[in-house]
Amino acid sequence: DAEITQSPRHKITETGRQVTLACHQTWNHNNMFWYRQDLGHGLRLIHYSYGVHDTNKGEVSDGYSVSRSNTEDLPLTLESAASSQTSVYFCASSEHTGELFFGEGSRLTVL
Amino acid sequence: GQQLNQSPQSMFIQEGEDVSMNCTSSSIFNTWLWYKQDPGEGPVLLIALYKAGELTSNGRLTAQFGITRKDSFLNISASIPSDVGIYFCAGPGSNYKLTFGKGTLLTVNP
């Protein structure tokens, strides 16, 4: 069955470190998204991609970057982790319908 | 940008009770989506609505696309413990991006 997987599921890091969260989907979807989920804020869009070599900023993109070298993967990088980036991160993919399929999430703690 | 106001923020109910939650938008949507997030998991699509006035059921869940296209409702009948979770409404903005409500946290007391 097609799926979308995230790794790691849990990570603890220190302020200033670079962190990369992986996202891999086998749906062959063109559209991929990264959201963060925080209490009181719901799901907020960080970055998204409509295809290989395409990346776009979402509403909370500062401090994050993504790259899309193939259809299946959209890694999210925190260049210099900050405590404000402690959150649960969700990757999602979709085709043209707008119906997103989510991964199981990556819980990041920045100390 | 588009904003979705979802209410209530949380609900604490007894098993067997019916549940109702709603979502309103500052702008018109052509599609409304309802997701459920189980504890420790990613959101999963429950119901998709594509037409104003549409009423769609999925088991004990019923959702409606408001006539004004600025609101949607989700009802759960005869709640059970596994209904616990966060329910999100969502609507697609430009270019397949979804805007999400802040969620309704549902707790069901056995």
Side-chain angles (χ1 to χ4, degrees):
Chain A
D1 285 343
E3 60 180 4
I4 181 165
T5 56
Q6 295 183 230
S7 63
R9 294 293 310 278
H10 302 272
K11 185 168 182 68
I12 300 174
T13 191
E14 295 177 339
T15 300
R17 298 262 189 169
Q18 184 182 77
V19 175
T20 297
L21 305 179
C23 176
H24 179 81
Q25 54 101 0
T26 58
W27 296 97
N28 202 33
H29 287 160
N30 284 318
N31 308 325
M32 295 185 73
F33 306 83
W34 274 103
Y35 288 86
R36 61 178 288 175
Q37 184 177 25
D38 305 286
L39 197 63
H41 292 280
L43 291 159
R44 293 183 290 174
L45 184 62
I46 305 172
H47 280 286
Y48 57 102
S49 169
Y50 292 137
V52 176
H53 302 312
D54 176 76
T55 62
N56 305 278
K57 294 181 178 180
E59 62 179 301
V60 289
S61 61
D62 287 349
Y64 303 94
S65 63
V66 293
S67 61
R68 188 88 179 272
S69 59
N70 57 53
T71 301
E72 295 80 16
D73 299 289
L74 187 70
L76 176 71
T77 297
L78 287 68
E79 301 294 342
S80 177
S83 57
S84 61
Q85 294 176 308
T86 292
S87 186
V88 181
Y89 292 86
F90 287 98
C91 180
S93 69
S94 76
E95 254 315 312
H96 54 274
T97 62
E99 299 176 15
L100 297 185
F101 295 86
F102 283 87
E104 293 184 323
S106 295
R107 181 176 295 275
L108 177 67
T109 302
V110 183
L111 301 177
Chain B
Q2 294 169 323
Q3 293 185 341
L4 295 183
N5 296 308
Q6 189 171 348
S7 65
Q9 287 186 336
S10 62
M11 301 182 73
F12 189 93
I13 63 171
Q14 295 295 124
E15 183 176 359
E17 290 183 357
D18 296 342
V19 172
S20 184
M21 59 191 79
N22 69 82
C23 202
T24 59
S25 170
S26 57
S27 56
I28 289 173
F29 280 122
N30 292 318
T31 301
W32 280 97
L33 305 169
W34 284 93
Y35 284 81
K36 182 195 176 192
Q37 183 181 23
D38 289 327
E41 302 291 331
V44 174
L45 182 66
L46 294 175
I47 291 179
L49 302 160
Y50 299 107
K51 187 177 176 182
E54 179 182 355
L55 187 72
T56 297
S57 293
N58 179 5
R60 293 178 296 104
L61 275 62
T62 302
Q64 184 162 23
F65 193 145
I67 293 291
T68 65
R69 294 163 62 193
K70 288 187 175 183
D71 57 3
S72 180
F73 304 87
L74 177 69
N75 297 314
I76 305 172
S77 62
S79 59
I80 59 178
S82 63
D83 289 334
V84 162
I86 304 175
Y87 292 80
F88 292 100
C89 61
S94 60
N95 297 330
Y96 317 126
K97 289 184 296 179
L98 282 186
T99 298
F100 285 86
K102 293 185 179 181
T104 295
L105 174 63
L106 178 63
T107 303
V108 180
N109 192 31

